[in-house]
Amino acid sequence: MSRRKEFLDGYNEGTRAMDPELAMRFVTPDFKFLDGALDYVVTRENFAEYLLGWEQRMQSIGGTGRYEASEELSQDLGDVLLSWGWWKFDGTDIEGSALIKVTDEGVLFEKIAYYRMPSTPS
């Protein structure tokens, strides 16, 4: 397994377990988490607050606080590993995509974008 894949797997394990300390072991010093619903950038310094507030934010819109990931794929381009996936907040119709970029130093960034299914015409 490549070092970049190990960083990705460790980071994903930490975020899916809602364990920010574990996730941050696998990121670069200048790590950024870009959430399209926020007007600020999540960094190493405020990642724990962001991640630990996740459940409450999702419950406030009718969700369970958990999410499902699907359609995940990764491609190692030689100098970086890109990982993409589709996600859906459990209990809501809110879903979107995520892109993670991993270097030989760790996870550089994660970007998430939102997509909501259009209403079915009556």
Side-chain angles (χ1 to χ4, degrees):
M1 177 183 315
S2 76
R3 184 174 179 153
R4 291 183 293 270
K5 179 76 166 107
E6 289 175 14
F7 289 143
L8 176 63
D9 290 349
Y11 173 77
N12 281 337
E13 180 183 344
T15 56
R16 290 176 180 166
M18 299 296 180
D19 183 341
E21 184 179 320
L22 176 60
M24 292 296 96
R25 291 181 197 160
F26 300 96
V27 304
T28 64
D30 55 346
F31 167 80
K32 305 283 187 274
F33 188 103
L34 306 160
D35 181 329
L38 301 178
D39 59 359
Y40 65 92
V41 175
V42 178
T43 64
R44 290 178 64 101
E45 290 73 30
N46 61 359
F47 184 79
E49 180 181 349
Y50 172 80
L51 188 64
L52 296 174
W54 186 270
E55 186 172 6
Q56 181 180 359
R57 288 190 305 276
M58 296 311 101
Q59 288 175 342
S60 74
I61 60 171
T64 65
R66 307 306 288 170
Y67 69 95
E68 298 173 30
S70 65
E71 312 300 327
E72 295 177 298
L73 63 95
S74 296
Q75 183 175 11
D76 196 320
L77 301 174
D79 59 343
V80 297
L81 173 69
L82 295 178
S83 179
W84 176 88
W86 195 257
W87 53 263
K88 182 176 186 338
F89 295 144
D90 293 346
T92 75
D93 62 350
I94 299 173
E95 56 188 308
S97 64
L99 176 69
I100 302 171
K101 184 175 185 179
V102 187
T103 69
D104 288 333
E105 304 303 315
V107 174
L108 182 61
F109 69 74
E110 180 170 2
K111 296 179 183 183
I112 63 172
Y114 295 81
Y115 173 80
R116 185 181 292 229
M117 293 295 294
S119 300
T120 305
S122 307

